[in-house]
Coordinates of all heavy atoms in Angstrom, one line a residue:
L1 N 14.2 -14.9 9.7 CA 14.5 -13.5 10.1 C 13.7 -13.0 11.2 O 12.6 -13.5 11.5 CB 14.3 -12.6 8.8 CG 15.1 -13.0 7.6 CD1 14.7 -12.1 6.4 CD2 16.6 -12.8 7.8
S2 N 14.2 -12.0 11.9 CA 13.4 -11.3 12.9 C 12.4 -10.5 12.1 O 12.5 -10.2 10.9 CB 14.3 -10.4 13.7 OG 14.8 -9.3 12.9
H3 N 11.4 -10.0 12.8 CA 10.3 -9.2 12.2 C 10.9 -7.9 11.6 O 10.6 -7.5 10.5 CB 9.3 -8.8 13.3 CG 8.0 -8.4 12.7 ND1 7.7 -7.1 12.4 CD2 6.8 -9.1 12.4 CE1 6.5 -7.0 11.9 NE2 5.9 -8.1 11.9
A4 N 11.9 -7.3 12.4 CA 12.5 -6.1 11.9 C 13.4 -6.3 10.6 O 13.3 -5.6 9.7 CB 13.4 -5.5 13.0
D5 N 14.1 -7.4 10.7 CA 15.0 -7.7 9.5 C 14.1 -8.1 8.2 O 14.5 -7.7 7.1 CB 15.9 -8.9 9.7 CG 17.1 -8.5 10.7 OD1 17.3 -7.3 10.8 OD2 17.7 -9.4 11.2
A6 N 13.0 -8.8 8.5 CA 12.1 -9.1 7.4 C 11.5 -7.8 6.8 O 11.5 -7.7 5.5 CB 11.0 -10.0 7.8
R7 N 11.1 -6.9 7.6 CA 10.5 -5.6 7.2 C 11.6 -4.8 6.4 O 11.3 -4.2 5.4 CB 10.0 -4.8 8.3 CG 8.7 -5.4 8.8 CD 7.9 -4.3 9.6 NE 6.5 -4.7 9.9 CZ 5.5 -4.7 9.1 NH1 5.7 -4.2 7.8 NH2 4.3 -5.1 9.4
A8 N 12.9 -4.9 6.8 CA 13.9 -4.2 6.2 C 14.1 -4.7 4.8 O 14.3 -3.9 3.8 CB 15.2 -4.2 6.9
R9 N 14.0 -6.0 4.6 CA 14.2 -6.6 3.3 C 13.0 -6.2 2.4 O 13.2 -5.9 1.2 CB 14.3 -8.1 3.4 CG 15.6 -8.5 4.1 CD 16.2 -9.7 3.7 NE 17.4 -10.0 4.4 CZ 18.2 -11.1 4.1 NH1 17.8 -11.9 3.2 NH2 19.3 -11.2 4.8
L10 N 11.8 -6.2 2.9 CA 10.6 -5.8 2.2 C 10.7 -4.4 1.7 O 10.4 -4.0 0.6 CB 9.4 -6.1 2.9 CG 9.0 -7.5 3.2 CD1 7.7 -7.6 4.0 CD2 8.7 -8.2 1.9
S11 N 11.2 -3.5 2.6 CA 11.3 -2.1 2.3 C 12.3 -1.8 1.2 O 12.4 -0.7 0.7 CB 11.5 -1.3 3.5 OG 12.8 -1.5 4.0
A12 N 13.3 -2.7 1.0 CA 14.3 -2.5 0.0 C 13.7 -2.7 -1.5 O 14.4 -2.4 -2.4 CB 15.4 -3.5 0.2
Q13 N 12.5 -3.2 -1.6 CA 11.8 -3.4 -2.8 C 10.6 -2.5 -2.9 O 10.1 -2.0 -1.9 CB 11.4 -4.9 -3.0 CG 12.5 -5.9 -3.0 CD 12.1 -7.3 -3.2 OE1 10.9 -7.6 -3.3 NE2 13.0 -8.2 -3.3
W14 N 10.1 -2.4 -4.2 CA 8.9 -1.7 -4.4 C 7.7 -2.4 -3.7 O 7.7 -3.6 -3.6 CB 8.5 -1.6 -5.8 CG 9.3 -0.6 -6.6 CD1 10.4 0.1 -6.3 CD2 8.9 -0.1 -7.9 NE1 10.8 0.9 -7.3 CE2 9.9 0.8 -8.3 CE3 7.9 -0.4 -8.8 CZ2 9.9 1.4 -9.6 CZ3 7.8 0.3 -10.0 CH2 8.8 1.2 -10.4
P15 N 6.7 -1.7 -3.1 CA 5.5 -2.4 -2.6 C 4.9 -3.2 -3.7 O 4.9 -2.8 -4.9 CB 4.6 -1.2 -2.2 CG 5.6 -0.1 -2.0 CD 6.7 -0.2 -3.0
I16 N 4.3 -4.3 -3.3 CA 3.8 -5.3 -4.3 C 2.7 -4.7 -5.1 O 2.5 -4.9 -6.3 CB 3.4 -6.6 -3.6 CG1 3.2 -7.7 -4.7 CG2 2.2 -6.4 -2.8 CD1 4.5 -8.1 -5.4
H17 N 1.9 -3.8 -4.5 CA 0.7 -3.2 -5.2 C 1.2 -2.3 -6.4 O 0.5 -2.2 -7.4 CB -0.2 -2.4 -4.3 CG 0.4 -1.2 -3.7 ND1 0.4 0.1 -4.3 CD2 1.1 -1.0 -2.5 CE1 1.0 1.0 -3.6 NE2 1.5 0.4 -2.5
E18 N 2.4 -1.7 -6.2 CA 3.0 -0.9 -7.3 C 3.4 -1.8 -8.5 O 3.3 -1.4 -9.7 CB 4.2 -0.1 -6.8 CG 3.8 1.0 -5.9 CD 4.9 2.0 -5.6 OE1 5.8 2.1 -6.4 OE2 4.8 2.7 -4.5
K19 N 3.9 -3.0 -8.2 CA 4.3 -3.9 -9.3 C 3.1 -4.4 -10.0 O 3.1 -4.6 -11.2 CB 5.2 -5.0 -8.7 CG 6.5 -4.5 -8.0 CD 7.4 -5.7 -7.6 CE 8.7 -5.1 -7.1 NZ 9.7 -6.1 -6.8
V20 N 2.0 -4.8 -9.2 CA 0.8 -5.3 -9.7 C 0.2 -4.2 -10.7 O -0.3 -4.6 -11.8 CB -0.2 -5.6 -8.7 CG1 -1.6 -5.8 -9.2 CG2 0.2 -6.9 -7.9
A21 N 0.3 -3.0 -10.4 CA -0.3 -1.9 -11.2 C 0.5 -1.8 -12.5 O -0.1 -1.4 -13.5 CB -0.2 -0.6 -10.5
R22 N 1.7 -2.2 -12.6 CA 2.5 -2.1 -13.8 C 2.6 -3.5 -14.6 O 3.2 -3.5 -15.7 CB 3.9 -1.6 -13.5 CG 4.0 -0.2 -13.0 CD 5.3 0.1 -12.4 NE 5.4 1.6 -12.1 CZ 4.8 2.2 -11.1 NH1 4.1 1.5 -10.3 NH2 5.0 3.5 -10.9
A23 N 2.0 -4.5 -14.1 CA 2.0 -5.8 -14.7 C 1.2 -5.9 -15.9 O 0.1 -5.3 -16.0 CB 1.7 -6.9 -13.7
D24 N 1.6 -6.8 -16.9 CA 0.7 -7.2 -18.0 C -0.2 -8.4 -17.5 O -1.3 -8.5 -18.0 CB 1.6 -7.7 -19.2 CG 2.4 -6.5 -19.7 OD1 1.8 -5.5 -20.0 OD2 3.7 -6.7 -19.8
Y25 N 0.4 -9.2 -16.6 CA -0.4 -10.4 -16.1 C 0.0 -10.5 -14.6 O 1.1 -10.2 -14.2 CB 0.0 -11.7 -16.8 CG -0.1 -11.6 -18.3 CD1 0.9 -11.2 -19.1 CD2 -1.3 -12.0 -18.9 CE1 0.8 -11.1 -20.5 CE2 -1.4 -11.9 -20.3 CZ -0.4 -11.5 -21.1 OH -0.5 -11.5 -22.4
V26 N -1.0 -10.9 -13.8 CA -0.8 -11.1 -12.4 C -1.2 -12.5 -11.9 O -2.3 -13.0 -12.3 CB -1.6 -10.0 -11.5 CG1 -1.4 -10.3 -10.0 CG2 -1.2 -8.6 -11.9
I27 N -0.3 -13.1 -11.2 CA -0.6 -14.4 -10.6 C -0.7 -14.3 -9.1 O 0.3 -14.0 -8.4 CB 0.6 -15.4 -10.9 CG1 0.6 -15.7 -12.5 CG2 0.4 -16.7 -10.2 CD1 1.9 -16.5 -12.9

């Protein structure tokens, strides 16, 4: 992907730090 397309895909999901904050376990 281009840099812009990759960023668009990432922005379609929650930021990873928000998911980590809600996890029971983190790998």
Side-chain angles (χ1 to χ4, degrees):
L1 299 175
S2 69
H3 199 274
D5 285 344
R7 285 202 172 278
R9 297 213 176 180
L10 289 176
S11 68
Q13 299 183 355
W14 283 17
I16 195 63
H17 67 87
E18 291 190 23
K19 297 186 178 188
V20 167
R22 290 164 172 78
D24 297 305
Y25 305 90
V26 178
I27 295 172

